[in-house]
Amino acid sequence: MIYSDLVWHRRQWDQLQTAVRAGRLAHAHLFHGPAGSGKEGHALELGALLNCRSPRDGTACGLCDSCLKMATLQHPDLHIVVPLPRRNPLDKHDPPLKALRPADVQNLQAQLQAKGSDPYHKVALEGAHSILINSIRELRRTAALKPAEGGWRVILIFDAEKLAQPTPAAANALLKLLEEPPPQTVFILVTDRPNLLPPTIHSRCLRLHFPALPHAGAKAYIISRYNLDPTDADVLIHTCGGNLHLARQVLASGERGSLGGAADDLLEALLQVKPRHWERLVNDLAQLWRRQPAELHYRLQMLQLWFRDLLVLSQTGSGEKLIFGHRREQLQRHLDTFPRALWGVAALAVESGQSLLERQVNPALLLTNLILDIRQAMKGREAPRVGSLAAPAGPA
Amino acid sequence: MKFTIQKSTLQGALQQLGKVVPSRSTLPILSSVLLSAKDGRLSLRATDLEISQIITVDAVMSAEGEVAVPQRTFLEITSEMPEGELTFEVQKNNQVQLTTAFGTYSIMGKPAAEYPSLPSVDRQQAVEIEGKLLRRVIDKTAFAVSRDDLKPSLMGVLFRFQEDNFIAVATDSHRLVRYTYHEPPKGGYVGDNIIPVKFLNILTAYLENVDMVTFNIGENHIMVQSGDTELYTRIIEERFPDYETVFPQDNDKKLVVEREEFLSAVRRVSIFSNRTTHQISLKLGADGLNLSTEDAETVSAAQEQVKGVFDGEELMIGYNANYLRDVISHLDSDTVKAEFSSAVSAAIFYSEQQREGEELTMLLMPIRLSE
């Protein structure tokens, strides 16, 4: 194996390695399932297994020349396609990296390097909302060449749902390649949101579902990587629902001491804002969504977890099971200031807002409603404005 | 690793390798060149994973070894140095030190183990071609190669080595070039390979003043050796379309025209053609041909009469002026022959006087003239 701390999905892996052993591996797979469940890690392990010179116990040896190149993502027959921001205009024949600024290229290189050492590292560039059609064109060109090392050519498409965003141009460009793949080539499309991919892609791939990670495995990963106290790790994994991307984000957001700072700051901003500054706050957040959607998602996720902590604290009065236990004073201050607040309602409003942001909803309007909902919930009133954007209100 | 080398030798090699080093890549190591000092020779290697190049140069060795250094920085440093010798030494942790009569410069290298390995090529299958001939083949065919990634087999030149001749074919499905050399190349290899055009363009630079070039053909790669340079490329793994069947057999309308006169007329008239379609029309008749174009968008028009000998029924046919220009300019006799059938079928263009031992034929598809 090339990753020492990948949490294996045994059933899925057995299915894959049995197919490899029997020589009947499908030419295109769609790995789908919740975020942070290790789909990309398994895809890379499969690529390594296919090219490994001496596989052991159904996994790549991790020691041969091919495995060492796979482990650093430097194998010449490994092609990784990720969403890229379009900073420069591109001609039809331009390589996709021409769309990036030199700093973006360096960032991408660093992130791919990080991915090589951590299966749960999320390769995400600022402003990368779609997989560029030029990436698929380049893929078509290189796929026509004979493999560099004579083994399997492994093509991984991360965040594959972005093939179809904002238009299905890249997805359509991929169809012919998926339909008539070159020999000794395997495509693995990885996505958290398979429903956003067009049916034409689904029908050409073998679907394999990766459920959320089992608690014990995710906990072991967090403890070994971050040397976290087992109780803290329990709370973190439990709250992140086994999503190791999110757990890593929480842990990487700074020192353990500032954990929750983003949520606290955002909540303070929402509570303190004066009516005349309202528009500016909403615009700032909407702009953040356009430029760094992951950052806004992260802040909203933190806010939701913060509300979750407030709910736990208000119900139990105990500091146990708190994610932001080290910020208990701030939590208590919020409880004292808003004694009638419906924290569960506020948390649900944030969750609903987050899922709506992914759809074609006007972000400024959505954020305005979200702020109103949160403020209402904190006053002890229930007003499902955010949800009403998605579906018309039912009969009274 | 330590060696002393003439600055101009090192600079020249780094400049040549610059054509292979990718300007942007997700693999940082590819912006470096690998230096290997072994057996009294220094070899420098660059790759973009599709094409690899090795240049071997003379250097005075003090200690053997390998290291990868950033090509761009290294070239910039050597370019700014005055003529003379420089000493290259690898110190601890791949720190590279350059010493000249003026000063010392330090640059961080990378371990050679990180550099992609050299493609392995089975050298048993080889053909030898004259450098001049290969250069001519590339010059006459590469322009017609397609850039359309939907048809990857057309993104290279087909090299067909046969027992009694050697054929090179390129097409982008609008035009097709077939170059036949009526002598088999030395080496006895028989087979087809589609070679990427990028590789051929880099290769041309090394073919001047080279007597013989060896093509070593492997399972996945081709290696061409020319003097102190070795160039590797991955082969396009596709089936080339059956080009012979597209050559028309019954084109009965024949035109003979002065090449230079025809070419310059096309160039002039095409200036007034539509910027998108580049459409020009040729009216073929007893007096030769009349070239004309009209562009309703810019309200411009042009027409010219070119004298020639035409045998057949009158014909009006449309072409993309750029394609027509490319075809005529790549023929090299004083007179061009062209054979037509109808306004919607392919025409054949070739030199009236073919060079000895070769046959160069070009096929061009017309465009339907707008009413």
Side-chain angles (χ1 to χ4, degrees), chain A residues 8-26:
Chain A
W8 291 89
H9 286 277
R10 278 289 152 207
R11 191 179 59 77
Q12 287 76 356
W13 184 253
D14 285 348
Q15 192 178 329
L16 289 169
Q17 59 123 330
T18 308
V20 172
R21 225 177 14 222
R24 50 175 179 78
L25 187 73

Side-chain angles (χ1 to χ4, degrees), chain A residues 99-275:
Chain A
L100 306 187
R101 291 194 284 254
D104 296 316
V105 178
Q106 280 178 1
N107 184 9
L108 180 61
Q109 289 174 344
Q111 293 215 34
L112 287 172
Q113 204 176 350
K115 182 80 195 171
S117 57
D118 184 346
Y120 298 100
H121 177 84
K122 185 77 198 152
V123 179
L125 294 186
E126 193 186 316
H129 301 302
S130 60
I131 291 177
L132 303 181
I133 188 166
N134 291 57
S135 298
I136 305 302
R137 287 193 181 121
E138 188 179 63
L139 200 59
R140 286 200 301 226
R141 202 177 56 75
T142 49
L145 297 169
K146 292 213 178 185
E149 305 230 326
W152 279 81
R153 196 185 347 243
V154 180
I155 298 171
L156 307 184
I157 303 181
F158 292 167
D159 296 321
E161 75 281 358
K162 292 194 169 137
L163 283 164
Q165 289 175 350
T167 68
N172 291 340
L174 185 66
L175 289 179
K176 187 164 179 275
L177 210 49
L178 284 180
E179 202 161 63
E180 296 167 22
Q184 291 286 97
T185 302
V186 61
F187 289 85
I188 307 174
L189 281 68
V190 179
T191 179
D192 307 339
R193 301 185 188 90
N195 55 318
L196 296 180
L197 274 167
T200 43
I201 293 275
H202 279 277
S203 64
R204 284 163 174 82
C205 300
L206 182 73
R207 292 168 59 116
L208 195 56
H209 182 253
F210 287 77
L213 284 179
H215 187 94
K219 183 179 166 187
Y221 165 86
I222 287 289
I223 291 174
S224 76
R225 277 266 165 184
Y226 297 93
N227 202 17
L228 210 63
D229 177 78
T231 321
D232 286 353
D234 266 335
V235 177
L236 183 68
I237 300 299
H238 184 69
T239 316
C240 293
N243 178 349
L244 283 183
H245 288 164
L246 183 62
R248 289 177 80 261
Q249 249 181 340
V250 172
L251 291 165
S253 66
E255 298 299 313
R256 179 92 177 119
S258 73
L259 198 66
D264 196 12
D265 294 349
L266 180 59
L267 188 59
E268 287 298 327
L270 300 185
L271 297 176
Q272 307 274 330
V273 67
K274 298 272 188 298

Side-chain angles (χ1 to χ4, degrees), chain A residues 371-391:
Chain A
I371 295 168
L372 283 171
D373 277 2
I374 292 172
R375 289 167 72 118
Q376 291 285 49
M378 295 178 78
K379 288 177 190 162
R381 291 181 220 144
E382 211 167 330
R385 282 192 181 79
V386 172
S388 67
L389 270 175

Side-chain angles (χ1 to χ4, degrees), chain B residues 239-340:
Chain B
R239 215 171 138 258
F240 203 79
D242 182 7
Y243 59 89
E244 288 295 348
T245 54
V246 299
F247 275 93
Q249 302 299 320
D250 50 357
N251 280 10
D252 54 351
K253 302 177 179 68
K254 294 177 182 168
L255 173 78
V256 181
V257 65
E258 290 292 320
R259 193 180 73 95
E260 272 304 324
E261 209 179 317
F262 188 14
L263 181 60
S264 49
V266 172
R267 281 190 176 131
R268 283 190 295 271
V269 171
S270 66
I271 295 170
F272 298 88
S273 67
N274 182 283
R275 298 276 171 204
T276 315
T277 63
H278 304 286
Q279 178 184 300
I280 65 167
S281 34
L282 273 61
K283 190 175 176 190
L284 306 162
D287 297 338
L289 75 160
N290 186 288
L291 287 99
S292 62
T293 188
E294 259 182 52
D295 181 17
E297 272 176 40
T298 55
V299 200
S300 54
Q303 72 86 26
E304 272 198 40
Q305 182 73 29
V306 179
K307 279 186 189 160
V309 179
F310 181 68
D311 176 19
E313 273 177 45
E314 271 198 7
L315 176 70
M316 184 84 160
I317 190 164
Y319 285 111
N320 178 321
N322 291 347
Y323 292 166
L324 184 61
R325 198 180 54 212
D326 278 349
V327 162
I328 307 166
S329 64
H330 282 89
L331 293 171
D332 43 15
S333 73
D334 293 341
T335 334
V336 171
K337 270 191 164 183
E339 296 174 5
F340 305 85

Side-chain angles (χ1 to χ4, degrees), chain B residues 52 125 149 166 187 195 223 251 297 309 323 367:
Chain B
S52 304
Q125 296 192 303
D149 44 70
F166 149 63
I195 305 180
M223 189 272 273
N251 280 10
E297 272 176 40
V309 179
Y323 292 166
I367 48 178

